[in-house]
Amino acid sequence: MICVSLQESTIEDLEKQINANLPFTSFFEFRLDEQSISMLSWILRADRPYRAIITLRSTGILPETDRITFLQKALQLGADWIDWDQPAPFPSQEPGRILYSYHDWQKTPDMEEIKRLYGERKHKGSWIKLVFRANTFTDNLTIRKVFRKLHDPQLVSFCMGEEGQTSRILSCLWGSAWTYAAPSPEKKTAPGQLTADEMSRTYPQSQGKREPSLYFGILGNPVSQSWSPLLHNMAFQEKKISALYLPVEVKDPLPVLSSGFFQGLSVTMPFKEVLCEWTEMLSLSPEVNRWKSLNTLIREGNTYHAENTDVWAGVALLENFFFFETSKRVVIWGSGGVARSLALALSEKNCSIRIQARNEKKGKVLAYDCGGEFIPWETPILEPVDLLIQGTPVGMIPHTQQI
């Protein structure tokens, strides 16, 4: 179940966000402050088409007694839950409508500490929300362990941060009562938060009743711009394959590969080349060995087999247009994984290769390896070419405004 978090200052703006997200969910959290508490009666009107959590955090401006009084009023007006960010029992005769929340913005603690935090908040009939910061991929798997240990249907738990997106997406499958989403990309209220639209359209399997048999993902940093999760999950649904494809945005890929969680991974920047050196964990195909760049990992027992399908796709596309019937002049912008793979593959097709790259050192090495020519980035190319390959991060997040 998806709960959309809303934080608006006017009823008009709230209504707009609610209507935009009703196609995806009928469950909303209203994050109020001293300026917006006057909207409470409208939010909790009797004919509202949604369930509501009311949240009013302690900011030091509103006296604590007034905050308690306000949340008690929210219960009287019919709030389905109020969010209470203290471990001590909230003064109410309806404990089943209190969500005891805890947030650690720095880390994910170990299992013993999580059990302690949970026990502090486990009052009669209470609901509990435990949210932590993910600093490595394995923090997500700690959340899975939490649900397997506690078996509490009234528990909400996941990790924040880009590295915590796996647990945000999978928490309901693991046992969470619900997960949280943003109303739109511009209105995200926590790091790593996905929109309700993304959760519903890109990861519909995450709201099912049974965990998929297989997990796949795209490994890189960043990966939020990738269409891979949407396309793969649509294909899995169409073919009725019990699988889910996830974004895996990490700083360190080692915990991902060591976890054994994924059956296969697509690999994008900045890991395409560096992972070729991890020969203790990976077996490299002849092409990857030759081109020193990979984009696909397939799990084989406790290790992964590395392949490079960038080349197969690029060469096959050009062969469809009979590109290689005569020698061709090719200019490649960039010196990263895709640029390297295609430069070496096209040189084997008797193409004349010229490399233009901002990283002069890498560009010269690549030009030498493919028997081509290096051209400084600022040097204009005036003579005709048959093919230009754009292999730089320009245009991708966070470089969307660069040309």
Side-chain angles (χ1 to χ4, degrees):
M1 181 163 53
I2 299 170
C3 178
V4 173
S5 299
L6 301 177
Q7 191 168 5
E8 301 291 347
S9 56
T10 68
I11 290 175
E12 181 183 6
D13 289 337
L14 268 183
E15 192 167 26
K16 184 185 301 182
Q17 295 293 349
I18 290 168
N19 291 336
N21 283 276
L22 278 174
F24 312 120
T25 186
S26 57
F27 188 18
F28 295 88
E29 177 197 25
F30 296 89
R31 298 189 176 190
L32 304 179
D33 56 26
E34 291 81 0
Q35 284 71 47
S36 58
I37 57 177
S38 61
M39 299 189 292
L40 186 65
S41 296
W42 181 86
I43 291 169
L44 298 177
R45 63 196 186 280
D47 63 345
R48 67 183 186 270
Y50 51 79
R51 286 189 291 174
I53 301 174
I54 301 298
T55 299
L56 180 63
R57 294 280 182 245
S58 177
T59 62
I61 300 175
L62 192 70
E64 190 69 355
T65 53
D66 291 352
R67 186 168 79 107
I68 292 172
T69 299
F70 173 82
L71 291 172
Q72 289 173 331
K73 180 181 178 182
L75 291 172
Q76 293 167 8
L77 289 173
D80 297 277
W81 288 273
I82 59 109
D83 185 304
W84 180 239
D85 54 357
Q86 303 295 327
F90 182 80
S92 168
Q93 300 302 311
E94 301 184 71
R97 291 161 64 195
I98 314 301
L99 177 65
Y100 290 87
S101 65
Y102 174 84
H103 296 76
D104 189 325
W105 297 88
Q106 303 301 319
K107 67 183 185 308
T108 298
D110 61 29
M111 191 64 201
E112 288 306 309
E113 176 63 9
I114 293 174
K115 287 167 69 174
R116 186 191 69 78
L117 294 167
Y118 171 83
E120 282 184 339
R121 291 157 179 79
K122 190 57 182 173
H123 311 297
K124 182 179 178 181
S126 65
W127 295 71
I128 299 174
K129 174 187 176 186
L130 302 175
V131 180
F132 312 107
R133 178 78 184 210
N135 293 309
T136 72
F137 175 78
T138 48
D139 287 338
N140 294 282
L141 303 186
T142 298
I143 299 299
R144 182 171 65 168
K145 190 184 300 183
V146 166
F147 288 110
R148 290 181 175 180
K149 292 279 187 182
L150 298 179
H151 304 287
D152 186 348
Q154 294 187 184
L155 173 64
V156 176
S157 189
F158 53 86
C159 287
M160 298 178 285
E162 300 301 334
E163 298 206 21
Q165 284 192 338
T166 293
S167 64
R168 278 191 181 273
I169 295 167
L170 298 181
S171 60
C172 290
L173 288 172
W174 291 342
S176 185
W178 61 79
T179 190
Y180 289 80
S184 65
E186 312 82 47
K187 298 286 185 177
K188 294 183 178 183
T189 56
Q193 199 174 52
L194 299 159
T195 67
D197 189 340
E198 288 175 296
M199 291 288 289
S200 300
R201 297 183 192 275
T202 306
Y203 310 102
Q205 301 99 316
S206 70
Q207 300 306 303
K209 295 182 179 180
R210 186 175 299 175
E211 196 169 352
S213 302
L214 301 170
Y215 286 110
F216 301 91
I218 178 164
L219 176 65
N221 194 339
V223 297
S224 59
Q225 79 286 349
S226 175
W227 286 73
S228 291
L230 176 63
L231 297 176
H232 282 85
N233 289 326
M234 286 175 62
F236 291 152
Q237 282 200 299
E238 177 69 22
K239 299 295 183 181
K240 295 181 170 54
I241 298 172
S242 178
L244 192 57
Y245 189 103
L246 301 167
V248 189
E249 183 167 319
V250 296
K251 300 179 185 71
D252 180 6
L254 180 59
V256 180
L257 301 185
S258 301
S259 71
F261 185 76
F262 292 98
Q263 187 63 31
L265 289 158
S266 308
V267 181
T268 187
M269 63 179 192
F271 302 130
K272 287 190 170 191
E273 295 171 278
V274 68
L275 287 182
C276 293
E277 301 172 8
W278 293 23
T279 52
E280 291 185 3
M281 299 187 70
L282 308 178
S283 63
L284 309 184
S285 71
E287 292 82 7
V288 171
N289 249 324
R290 187 160 71 250
W291 298 321
K292 303 304 179 188
S293 176
L294 58 85
N295 78 335
T296 302
L297 297 176
I298 305 159
R299 199 171 88 211
E300 295 180 341
N302 294 325
T303 63
Y304 283 87
H305 176 68
E307 288 285 356
N308 189 319
T309 63
D310 285 332
V311 175
W312 301 344
V315 171
L317 176 65
L318 294 171
E319 284 177 340
N320 285 341
F321 292 96
F322 307 102
F323 186 78
F324 302 113
E325 288 189 348
T326 59
S327 178
K328 293 294 191 295
R329 296 159 296 184
V330 178
V331 171
I332 299 178
W333 288 345
S335 56
V338 171
R340 180 174 187 82
S341 301
L342 288 173
L344 294 169
L346 293 176
S347 69
E348 294 174 3
K349 294 286 187 177
N350 296 318
C351 291
S352 171
I353 310 294
R354 284 182 285 180
I355 304 294
Q356 272 196 306
R358 290 168 292 185
N359 187 321
E360 184 173 338
K361 182 178 179 180
K362 284 184 68 176
K364 286 182 174 179
V365 170
L366 177 53
Y368 176 82
D369 289 346
C370 70
E373 175 189 0
F374 176 77
I375 302 173
W377 184 249
E378 298 81 8
T379 302
I381 298 176
L382 303 178
E383 59 271 28
V385 298
D386 299 299
L387 178 65
L388 173 63
I389 297 175
Q390 206 290 80
T392 75
V394 170
M396 296 177 64
I397 295 173
H399 309 288
T400 53
Q401 302 303 314
Q402 292 184 4
I403 58 171

